[in-house]
Amino acid sequence: MPAHRPLSLVTGASAGIGAAFARELAARGHDLVLVARRAERLHALAGELRERYGACAHVIPADLADPASPRRLADELQAQRLAVDWLVNNAGYGVPGTFEASQWQVHADSLQVLVTAPTELAWRLLPGMRERGYGRIVNVASLAGHVPGSAGHTLYAASKAFLIKFSQSLALENRDLGVHVCALCPGFTWSEFHDVTGTRELVGKLPRFMWQDAEAVVREGIEAVERGEAVHVTGRVNRAIKALAKLAPDRLALWLSARESKRYRQLD
């Protein structure tokens, strides 16, 4: 650990897993840089973190769908002399419906947020971590990146699979330099995610044992990255699903995916 209070940057910090990361890290003695589009929510969360945990919480509103945002964010950190020890790449969302149902710009924006922005932020902040001999990068991926693709939300699982492989490679490249990298892979999590994608009614039909709350996901994630795990799937149910997906023949796995995805994917 650094001698000073660690500084953690969390993207998508205005709600869900991102806000849970901010609260848990603040409770563990971290200062925060909160990044998301909704400035009002960020300022409210920053006030809570200061009052409850005595954390110094910086607010930087940013839309990571803008390709210039990662560079501007890094420039702002440098201008404020903020050296990031933990990077939590959490921002993300799914595009409901089939691939051709959305305009290309909608898909391009989602790829920018899910793939390009976290990759660029890691590239921009990693050198400082390596130089200081300490750093943690958490890329919030998904169980979806481990199981066969499904119809609907076409690019989501593919993007999360990228984050998993990227995290593995980055972890190997930096494991001897004091920098731990982990792809955190939750399954169904209580958050605003399904409200944003318009699938709340669909996923609400799934059994409760398949769900975790954001706080449990975050606690598992922090412990996993500190242990040096390159990939961590949260929850016993999700780990069982991942194991079964690996063992099943491809045709069977795709058939099961096609059958089950109708329960939680919007296909129009």
Side-chain angles (χ1 to χ4, degrees):
M1 291 287 290
H4 58 276
R5 286 174 62 93
L7 179 65
S8 297
L9 186 153
V10 182
T11 68
S14 59
I17 292 175
F21 257 112
R23 292 187 178 101
E24 184 65 26
L25 290 168
R28 295 175 184 234
H30 291 224
D31 292 331
L32 278 300
V33 178
L34 306 176
V35 178
R37 293 177 299 168
R38 296 177 287 189
E40 288 186 6
R41 287 200 177 192
L42 293 182
H43 284 292
L45 178 58
E48 175 192 334
L49 299 180
R50 295 184 193 108
E51 183 176 347
R52 291 183 63 185
Y53 306 111
C56 180
H58 307 267
V59 170
I60 304 180
D63 183 358
L64 293 177
D66 179 354
S69 282
R71 176 183 53 78
R72 285 201 296 258
L73 180 54
D75 289 345
E76 182 65 21
L77 293 170
Q78 186 173 14
Q80 296 190 37
R81 297 184 179 181
L82 298 174
V84 172
D85 300 297
W86 281 63
L87 169 62
V88 180
N89 280 314
N90 166 74
Y93 59 92
V95 177
T98 56
F99 187 54
E100 78 283 357
S102 296
Q103 297 295 317
W104 172 247
Q105 191 58 52
V106 173
H107 292 309
D109 289 348
S110 73
L111 289 171
Q112 172 65 34
V113 173
L114 291 170
V115 175
T116 306
T119 306
E120 183 176 351
L121 284 173
W123 181 81
R124 291 187 179 278
L125 299 182
L126 180 61
M129 296 178 182
R130 290 167 61 107
E131 182 179 345
R132 295 187 298 274
Y134 176 86
R136 303 289 185 264
I137 297 175
V138 183
N139 292 316
V140 179
S142 173
L143 174 65
H146 290 286
V147 300
S150 63
H153 295 243
T154 319
L155 298 178
Y156 185 78
S159 299
K160 296 305 186 179
F162 168 86
L163 281 183
I164 292 167
K165 296 300 184 183
F166 170 60
S167 299
Q168 289 174 323
S169 295
L170 207 59
L172 291 174
E173 291 174 5
N174 293 279
R175 63 182 179 181
D176 296 328
L177 300 170
V179 180
H180 295 180
V181 182
C182 180
L184 177 62
C185 304
F188 290 104
T189 305
W190 298 111
S191 71
E192 293 182 357
F193 179 90
H194 300 289
D195 299 311
V196 174
T197 60
T199 56
R200 171 62 60 193
E201 185 177 353
L202 280 173
V203 299
K205 300 174 183 177
L206 295 172
R208 292 187 65 85
F209 70 82
M210 294 188 67
W211 292 85
Q212 284 185 292
D213 59 50
E215 291 73 20
V217 168
V218 166
R219 287 192 295 270
E220 277 198 51
I222 292 174
E223 291 164 4
V225 72
E226 288 289 30
R227 289 194 299 267
E229 293 185 35
V231 179
H232 182 77
V233 177
T234 66
R236 288 176 292 179
V237 170
N238 294 324
R239 289 191 285 274
I241 292 171
K242 176 196 171 186
L244 289 172
K246 288 183 67 175
L247 291 172
D250 288 347
R251 289 184 65 181
L252 174 60
L254 280 172
W255 178 81
L256 289 170
S257 177
R259 188 189 71 174
E260 294 301 313
S261 64
K262 295 176 183 177
R263 302 172 64 187
Y264 57 88
R265 293 290 192 233
Q266 181 178 326
L267 299 180
D268 50 19

